[in-house]
């Protein structure tokens, strides 16, 4: 199956987009579709939520799937003054050139 790239760009205050991105990633992974989930722009703030929030609990489920690769845009973290060491998930940090290459490598890209 072709791998799927999901880009989550919305702040956690958006009531729908972050959850839709996670639902899409979990649904695809549950049928063995390789998924890459990239947090970019304001979406990087999702990685710093209170552990008791519904979104944070769903984020923790991502670690249960070997089919999901977790990435975060380093420039977005730096622009927002966020510390990558405080992220609880095992994300790989990516720079701009690597992100562009990643997007070009995927036939299916979903942006939330």
């Amino acid at each position: 199956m072709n791998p799927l790239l999901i880009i989550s760009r919305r702040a956690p205050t958006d009531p729908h987009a972050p959850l839709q991105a996670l639902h899409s990633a979990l649904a695809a992974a549950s049928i063995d579709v390789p998924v890459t989930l990239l947090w970019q722009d304001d979406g990087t703030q999702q990685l710093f939520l209170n552990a008791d929030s519904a979104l944070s609990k769903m984020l923790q489920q991502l670690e249960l799937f070997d089919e999901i690769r977790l990435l975060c845009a380093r420039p977005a973290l730096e622009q927002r003054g966020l510390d990558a060491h405080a992220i609880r998930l095992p994300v790989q940090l990516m720079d701009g050139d690597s992100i562009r290459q990643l997007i070009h490598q995927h036939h299916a890209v979903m942006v939330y």
Side-chain angles (χ1 to χ4, degrees), residues 16-44:
H16 303 292
L19 287 173
Q20 289 175 336
L22 290 176
H23 283 290
S24 297
L26 293 169
S30 71
I31 57 170
D32 297 325
V33 173
V35 176
T36 299
L37 182 53
L38 170 66
W39 285 274
Q40 197 173 26
D41 301 326
D42 287 337
T44 56

Side-chain angles (χ1 to χ4, degrees), residues 89-100:
L89 289 173
V91 299
Q92 177 185 347
L93 299 180
M94 307 223 21
D95 291 315
D97 289 336
S98 299
I99 292 170
R100 280 187 284 284

Side-chain angles (χ1 to χ4, degrees), residues 50-88:
N50 178 326
D52 293 331
S53 72
L55 182 58
S56 182
K57 289 178 183 177
M58 283 193 68
L59 286 171
Q60 292 170 5
Q61 293 179 20
L62 294 172
E63 293 184 272
L64 301 174
F65 291 89
D66 293 333
E67 296 84 7
I68 302 178
R69 180 176 172 209
L70 306 176
L71 307 174
C72 183
R74 183 190 316 269
L77 292 175
E78 292 169 352
Q79 290 170 355
R80 288 157 183 78
L82 300 172
D83 180 12
H85 294 95
I87 298 173
R88 294 185 184 118

